[in-house]
Each structure stands twice: as C-alpha cells, then as structure tokens.
C-alpha cells in the first residue's frame, strides 16, 4: 500500500447514499469519494457480511464475522508478500493494480479506499465484460490480457479467479484488477514455494482466458460445465 499526504481525512465521516453508488457487487457498493474523485470507496451492503456467513456450511461458520467481510478480505490481500516485498519497481507493481489507502469512516459504515479509474468523460472505466459484449475486437483485448498475464508472472501477485467484470480498461490503456485480489483457499500453500506460486498463477491465467472466450462467445453453455472441462 502507499499513503499520499494529500488524501482526504479518513477519520472524518463522509456522507454516502446507497442510490449514489456507481457500481454494485454481490456484497458491496462502490462510490466515488465525495472529497476526491480519484478515489473509490467500497462499503459492505447492510447485512451482507452476516448473510455471507450464513450461506456457508456449518463447519465454516465458527470463524469470526470479519472472515466473511469482502472489504477485510481485500485489505488483507494487499498485505500479501508480493506486495509487501515486491520483486519489481513500485511503478511496475501498481501498473495493473489500484493502490489501497486504508479505511474511511462513512455514513454507511467503514469503507475501503482505493484508486478510482475513469474514462475520458469522468465516468467509471468500462469493464472487460462490457467491452466484450459491445465490440467484436476480441483480438485487441487478448493483447491486453497477455500484458496482464505477464504482469502476474513477473510480480507474483496472487489473485482469485479473474472475471471480466473485475477488470477495467483505464485511461493509460492497461487493464486494472479492481476486485479479486488474494488467493483461493484457507491454507496458504501457494506461498510456501516459488514453484507452487507459479503453478497457481498459471492456473488463474488459463482460467481467465477460458472465461473471456466463454463470455465473448455468448455463454452458450453453463460456466460450471465449461470450467470443469477446461475448454469450450
């Protein structure tokens, strides 16, 4: 993470209204920071954390409520070794990843603050999912996905399964991962050796390209079927 002294006062409670969210996920709402349009605030939906816990099998519910909080999970993901002890320059490390700045008090609860990516009109940058639906130029986005893949290999940054709606095309022409940082699985085996890390990243990359092809081709078959077979 990085701290900029010109950032807003995160201890001050900023006022947010649910209807003002520019994006909505399964458990969170995303807002442009009312004091700094360069920043995004992610806030958990009311009751979402408890609902996420209750949806898990009984043996998993013994964990603390914070373990089911997407904001807390993302915050912890920014503390993975590849980010805390980068093997590349700071410029390269953040080439495809928004910086996380910490916690902001809001009228809707504690929010997690990170970079906000805009298009030339000042609106939220388009997701890859949106771009794939609205254009037939898949080849041009494959090039950008290859660049993103090289970034993951070079930095060793761990992600969950990479979905097209969690990648946005920023003004610098790069794809940015705005959600899904971290690793799958409770036990950190992938961080125990460089070989395990590389294999894990390659699996995420392979599945990312498969998911993109599936979405671009109209989702003709159920994703779980395609995912299981590893091909369209």
């Amino acid at each position: 993470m990085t701290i900029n002294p010109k950032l807003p006062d995160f201890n001050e409670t900023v006022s947010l209204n649910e209807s003002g969210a520019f994006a909505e996920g399964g458990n969170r709402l995303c807002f442009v920071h009312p004091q700094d349009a360069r920043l995004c605030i992610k806030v958990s939906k009311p009751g979402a954390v408890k609902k996420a816990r209750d949806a898990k099998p009984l043996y998993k519910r013994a964990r603390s409520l914070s373990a089911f909080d997407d904001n807390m999970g993302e915050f912890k993901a920014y503390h993975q070794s590849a980010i805390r002890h980068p093997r590349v320059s700071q410029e390269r490390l953040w080439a495809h990843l928004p910086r996380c700045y910490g916690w902001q008090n809001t009228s809707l609860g504690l929010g997690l603050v990170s970079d906000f990516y805009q298009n030339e009109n000042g609106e939220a940058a388009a997701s890859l999912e949106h771009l794939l639906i609205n254009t037939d130029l898949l080849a041009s986005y494959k090039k950008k996905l290859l660049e993103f893949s090289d970034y993951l290999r070079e930095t060793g940054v761990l992600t969950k399964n990479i979905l097209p709606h969690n990648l946005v095309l920023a003004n610098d022409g790069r794809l940015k991962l705005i959600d899904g940082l971290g690793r799958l699985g409770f036990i950190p085996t992938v961080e125990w050796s460089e070989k395990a890390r590389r294999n894990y990243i390659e699996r995420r990359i392979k599945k990312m390209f498969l998911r993109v092809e599936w979405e671009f081709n109209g989702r003709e078959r159920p994703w779980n079927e395609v995912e299981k077979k590893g091909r369209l």
Side-chain angles (χ1 to χ4, degrees):
M1 294 188 299
T2 183
I3 299 298
N4 184 331
K6 296 181 180 180
L7 291 171
D9 181 359
F10 291 163
N11 292 316
E12 177 185 343
T13 300
V14 298
S15 180
L16 299 176
N17 188 301
E18 290 185 40
S19 62
F22 71 83
E24 178 178 351
N27 296 317
R28 294 187 289 182
L29 299 169
C30 300
F31 301 86
V32 178
H33 198 296
Q35 297 176 355
D36 192 333
R38 302 171 302 168
L39 304 176
C40 165
I41 306 178
K42 296 178 181 178
V43 180
S44 294
K45 294 179 181 178
V49 177
K50 184 178 182 300
K51 184 178 179 181
R53 181 191 64 182
D54 293 346
K56 297 294 183 181
L58 188 60
Y59 71 92
K60 290 187 177 182
R61 297 180 202 169
R63 298 161 64 190
S64 66
L65 198 59
S66 65
F68 304 91
D69 185 333
D70 285 351
N71 266 353
M72 184 58 69
E74 183 171 308
F75 184 71
K76 289 180 178 178
Y78 272 98
H79 289 78
Q80 61 176 278
S81 61
I83 295 177
R84 288 188 294 110
H85 307 291
R87 60 184 75 176
V88 296
S89 68
Q90 286 292 311
E91 181 180 5
R92 181 58 174 159
L93 177 63
W94 302 109
H96 295 273
L97 194 65
R99 289 173 171 85
C100 176
Y101 300 99
W103 301 95
Q104 173 76 63
N105 289 320
T106 85
S107 57
L108 297 178
L110 205 57
L112 191 62
V113 182
S114 59
D115 290 324
F116 173 60
Y117 297 113
Q118 304 173 332
N119 61 21
E120 57 187 13
N121 298 320
E123 302 166 335
S127 70
L128 182 58
E129 178 183 50
H130 174 82
L131 295 169
L132 291 172
I133 291 173
N134 291 281
T135 182
D136 59 0
L137 300 177
L138 178 59
S140 64
Y141 298 119
K142 277 189 174 179
K143 181 179 179 181
K144 295 184 183 300
L145 284 166
L146 288 170
E147 292 173 353
F148 179 67
S149 301
D150 288 342
Y151 163 82
L152 294 178
R153 295 183 180 110
E154 183 181 352
T155 61
V157 168
L158 299 177
T159 72
K160 300 175 184 177
N161 288 332
I162 303 164
L163 305 176
H165 67 263
N166 289 334
L167 288 167
V168 301
L169 185 62
N171 277 335
D172 64 3
R174 293 170 175 156
L175 291 173
K176 312 284 186 174
L177 183 71
I178 58 170
D179 199 2
L181 187 66
R183 55 174 168 73
L184 296 172
F186 180 69
I187 301 175
T189 54
V190 297
E191 300 196 56
W192 292 351
S193 76
E194 186 60 26
K195 181 178 180 181
R197 181 185 294 271
R198 288 198 304 268
N199 289 341
Y200 177 90
I201 290 173
E202 290 302 326
R203 291 195 298 272
R204 302 286 78 74
I205 290 171
K206 181 179 179 181
K207 188 168 290 189
M208 174 184 71
F209 277 101
L210 179 62
R211 178 80 185 209
V212 167
E213 292 280 0
W214 176 74
E215 295 206 11
F216 183 74
N217 285 285
R219 308 181 182 187
E220 294 181 355
R221 295 162 54 200
W223 167 246
N224 59 351
E225 180 181 321
V226 173
E227 184 180 26
K228 185 176 180 180
K229 289 188 176 182
R231 56 183 173 80
L232 291 178

